[in-house]
Structures are given as structure tokens and as C-alpha cells.
Amino acid sequence: MRTGIKRLLLVEDDRAIADLVKFHFTRAGYTVTSTPSGEEALILVDEIRPDLIVLDWMIEGISGIELCRRLRRKPATANLPIIMLTARGEEDDRLRGLETGADDYVTKPFSPKELVVRAGAVLRRVRPALAAEMLDYAGLEMDLAAHRVRRDGQSISLGPTEYRLLRHFLENPGRVFSRQQLLETVWPHSEDIELRTVDVHIRRLRMALGEHGGADLVRTVRSAGYALDSEAVV
């Protein structure tokens, strides 16, 4: 089974949007191959065997909806996760995209960060075996089988609670969680734990992740909570 790096095929004929999406997915740990052509996308699917496709509906040649339909007809790609990215936001269009086989449907204009998060959610839902081996984001890698964490290739030592915190953040990059939400998710008996305990373990997690240098990846959102964010500002 493949670990760590996830392969994304981006099919988008708007160069500016393609560059933006590629930037954010690359920063999130994906290897991104992009093409503006539906015909070339069919070739690339066989060549690079992507883990996920982000597909614009309105592309030249083979339309995104037709490309999705063809991929679903082939046994080798019948279960390949596909996110449809399009300016067509009417309910009938969304239903058509989902009925054709798209796993998610994102309308333009969109948040690149949200797209990355939704891609991770689709991968966990559609291909849980892929997500189960390794979680990675912005140079952080968590090997779930070996129970090891690395940042930019260097080992990070974490206590059990910090490990659970980091795993929860890695499974939901960019999403802000309140202290109460973290208590209920990370601590098995949260009714016996005070909210300020979350702050203590967040500090420990920050110290561990910053042991070998590098930017702080844990963002504090005033009056809201914490998030794992490569643009974190404490």
C-alpha cells in the first residue's frame, strides 16, 4: 500500500485557478499533476494512478461530466475519488454531477483551503485504507501503523495526549475546534477534565513540533479555539 504522499490529478483549464489549487494541495503534502485537457486526463489517469481527481466541469474537448462518466465505467477507476469543481451551482447541476459519479461538488468561487479539507474528507470516506496508513500536512507525517511522527524528516517525540491531539488536527487540517470540542474528541473521559487542560497540551504540542525549528503550525483563534494551519499565527 502507498503511504504518505497522495497523488492528485487536477483537470482545470483556467490557469490562474489551476495554479492556486496546485499551490494549496502541494503545501498540504500532495503531489499534483495538472492538465487543461479531458483527453490528456484519461491518459494521465493510467500513467500516474492518482488517489484523487479534482475536475472542472467546463473544460475543452471532453467535458468534465463526460470524463467523470467514462472513469466510472472503467473497472480500474470506478471507485477513484472525484471532486467536481465548477461555476454551475444550480441544484439540478449539482445533482447531475453527483449522479454521474462525483464524490463531492464544489462551486466557484471557492476557498482553496476548504477544497483541501474536503478532499481529505473524501479520501477518508471513499478510500479509508489510504488514509489509515499515513496522515501528512505541511511537512508533518504521522505513521499510524508505527505510531511515529516526523516533521521535515526529523522524528518528533509526543506524549499520548499530544499524539491524539495532533492526529485529530491532521485528520481535519484548517478546521477550527473549540476547547470543548477537543475535550470531547481527544479525552476519553472529558467530563473530568477542565477546559484549561486543553491549553496546557496545546503548548506541549507546539513545543514538540517546534523542537527542530520551523513555523508554528497550531493557530490560535481568539474566542474560538485552535486549528492546524500552515499559516498559523499565535
Side-chain angles (χ1 to χ4, degrees):
M1 181 183 296
R2 225 184 285 153
T3 61
I5 302 300
K6 296 178 284 290
R7 293 184 174 121
L8 169 69
L9 176 59
L10 172 63
V11 189
E12 170 61 70
D13 60 0
D14 185 314
R15 180 64 180 271
I17 292 178
D19 288 344
L20 182 66
V21 172
K22 184 174 183 178
F23 172 80
H24 282 272
F25 272 95
T26 299
R27 192 171 63 176
Y30 289 73
T31 296
V32 182
T33 302
S34 65
T35 177
S37 164
E39 290 86 352
E40 185 178 18
L42 286 172
I43 297 172
L44 288 171
V45 165
D46 292 330
E47 288 182 351
I48 69 173
R49 298 176 59 200
D51 298 304
L52 172 72
I53 293 180
V54 173
L55 174 62
D56 188 7
W57 183 317
M58 304 297 289
I59 52 177
E60 296 181 4
I62 301 175
S63 70
I65 203 81
E66 176 59 24
L67 177 57
C68 183
R69 186 178 291 113
R70 293 191 189 187
L71 291 172
R72 289 293 177 249
R73 288 174 181 168
K74 297 171 59 177
T77 55
N79 297 314
L80 177 61
I82 297 173
I83 296 178
M84 193 77 74
L85 182 62
T86 176
R88 304 175 69 117
E90 297 297 324
E91 182 180 22
D92 288 345
D93 292 325
R94 293 197 302 272
L95 292 175
R96 184 181 172 196
L98 294 171
E99 287 171 355
T100 302
D103 298 288
D104 202 354
Y105 193 103
V106 178
T107 56
K108 301 175 183 178
F110 63 95
S111 161
K113 288 184 179 180
E114 181 183 355
L115 180 61
V116 171
V117 171
R118 291 175 74 160
V122 167
L123 279 174
R124 288 192 297 274
R125 184 175 71 247
V126 179
R127 302 185 64 181
L130 176 66
E133 279 288 299
M134 184 85 73
L135 299 172
D136 56 81
Y137 176 78
L140 276 176
E141 293 183 348
M142 176 176 282
D143 187 330
L144 300 179
H147 211 76
R148 291 185 181 132
V149 176
R150 291 185 176 85
R151 182 173 186 184
D152 298 326
Q154 295 184 297
S155 295
I156 301 293
S157 179
L158 296 176
T161 302
E162 287 73 42
Y163 182 91
R164 292 196 303 271
L165 264 176
L166 181 58
R167 175 170 179 170
H168 184 61
F169 282 135
L170 283 169
E171 290 174 340
N172 303 275
R175 180 177 172 184
V176 178
F177 292 96
S178 69
R179 291 168 177 82
Q180 186 62 46
Q181 287 173 322
L182 291 172
L183 272 181
E184 292 172 357
T185 303
V186 176
W187 277 262
H189 304 290
S190 59
E191 65 274 7
D192 300 324
I193 307 295
E194 296 182 2
L195 285 176
R196 61 184 180 181
T197 301
V198 176
D199 301 324
V200 172
H201 288 280
I202 287 289
R203 285 197 296 271
R204 292 178 182 174
L205 178 60
R206 278 193 170 121
M207 289 179 60
L209 296 181
E211 181 181 358
H212 302 294
D216 185 4
L217 295 177
V218 181
R219 178 163 62 102
T220 300
V221 182
R222 192 177 300 277
S223 301
Y226 300 101
L228 187 68
D229 192 335
S230 57
E231 295 181 350
V233 178
V234 179

